[in-house]
Amino acid sequence: MFKTLILALAVAAQAPGVLGYQLQPRGVVNRDPYPFCNTKTNPNCIAGGKYLVPILDFSVQRSAGDLAYAKYLPTHNFTLSAWPRGKMPEPCYRWGVTADHWKPADFTMYNVTFTDCAGSPWVVCFNKHSPRTIKQIAKEISRIPAAMRQSTSLYLVYGDQQTDNPQYGGYIGTLAADGLVVGRSVAYFATSLVHETGHAVDSNLASPNAPRPGTGAAFSASPAWRDAVRADGYAVSAYGAGSHVEDFAETGRAVLLDTIYPGGLKALTGNNPNLTQIANQLAAFRKVAGGFYRLDRKCDLRRKFPFPTRLVNV
Ligand SMILES: *[C@@H]1O[C@H](CO)[C@@H](O)[C@H](O)[C@H]1NC(C)=O
Ligand SMILES: *[C@@H]1O[C@H](CO)[C@@H](O)[C@H](O)[C@H]1NC(C)=O
Ligand SMILES: *[C@@H]1O[C@H](CO)[C@@H](O)[C@H](O)[C@H]1NC(C)=O
């Protein structure tokens, strides 16, 4: 029932030097969307660079997977409360102003309290150049199930045009150690948020050794994950073939699709005979993170990424 589109994913790209994982729109990284990942040109490339064929295609807005998420992930009501001017969460300042060169005065901070996590808001640092409204952005975030969403506490939303800030060339990414998702407003759609949240789950909720969120190693760096990938010999998608962290986030997409729409994986045309290629990864993922990729959970305040309390005067 889902059509598998071919030109849909970009080659995995990982922001250098920081715990930041960037999803690039198609064609930005490499004009060839499907080169089998090659360890000579990409040292992070996994499992000989092979990935599930036909590919699980859900990286692009209005692709089969995105439409499925938009249909089967319910939105949640929320309330917005704008901060008085003058303060910005330190991670929004560090990434938005220091690293990405947006003007601090152009941001408004909002507490966003979703009905599935009453009393415990997220913060959206919202740039005035964003053509989408804060309500539209919060609605997209609200689709991410609470038990997944609790791996983050901050969203940093930028404008979409290069002329808004010629020094910024990114799309959407995750700074898992800060519980932060950052990106252009146009990149806030269901499937990209599912992918980005996967990085925060990997580091903050599935981490084998984090005493508190943001302080441990990613599960995708653990032997349990590497062994599963090795046993399968295939990444979940072309994007996932780029590195273990990307492959983990891509596996999350597959698991979530199957969770919200039982049989969803098999319904992707043509993947039926090949899903056994990723069976070990699906099992390893479900073991550590499956409980977060469910719709019937509220947030767990003991595990939720802490509300940002370090503030910068702006
Ligand atoms: C299944 O995977 C193999 C190996 O990657 C590939 O050759 C084959 O075409 C795939 N099957 C389908 C139905 O696409
Ligand atoms: C969300 O808000 C709408 C409109 O105010 C209301 O009809 C609906 O019952 C609310 N849903 C939930 C789950 O609170
Ligand atoms: C935002 O939420 C925090 C944490 O619950 C709270 O302390 C603060 O007063 C709220 N700010 C606004 C403007 O609602």
Side-chain angles (χ1 to χ4, degrees), residues 74-136:
T75 58
H76 293 89
N77 288 346
F78 53 84
T79 55
L80 296 173
S81 172
W83 290 20
R85 301 210 71 83
K87 304 255 187 226
M88 191 172 194
E90 185 279 332
C92 284
Y93 189 91
R94 182 157 32 94
W95 296 110
V97 178
T98 308
D100 290 339
H101 307 287
W102 296 84
K103 292 186 186 124
D106 289 350
F107 287 92
T108 302
M109 271 46 78
Y110 293 92
N111 278 5
V112 185
T113 307
F114 299 100
T115 46
D116 58 10
C117 198
S120 186
W122 277 256
V123 176
V124 178
C125 303
F126 184 79
N127 189 278
K128 73 172 191 190
H129 291 291
S130 163
R132 298 176 76 197
T133 64
I134 177 67
K135 283 188 179 167
Q136 288 171 313

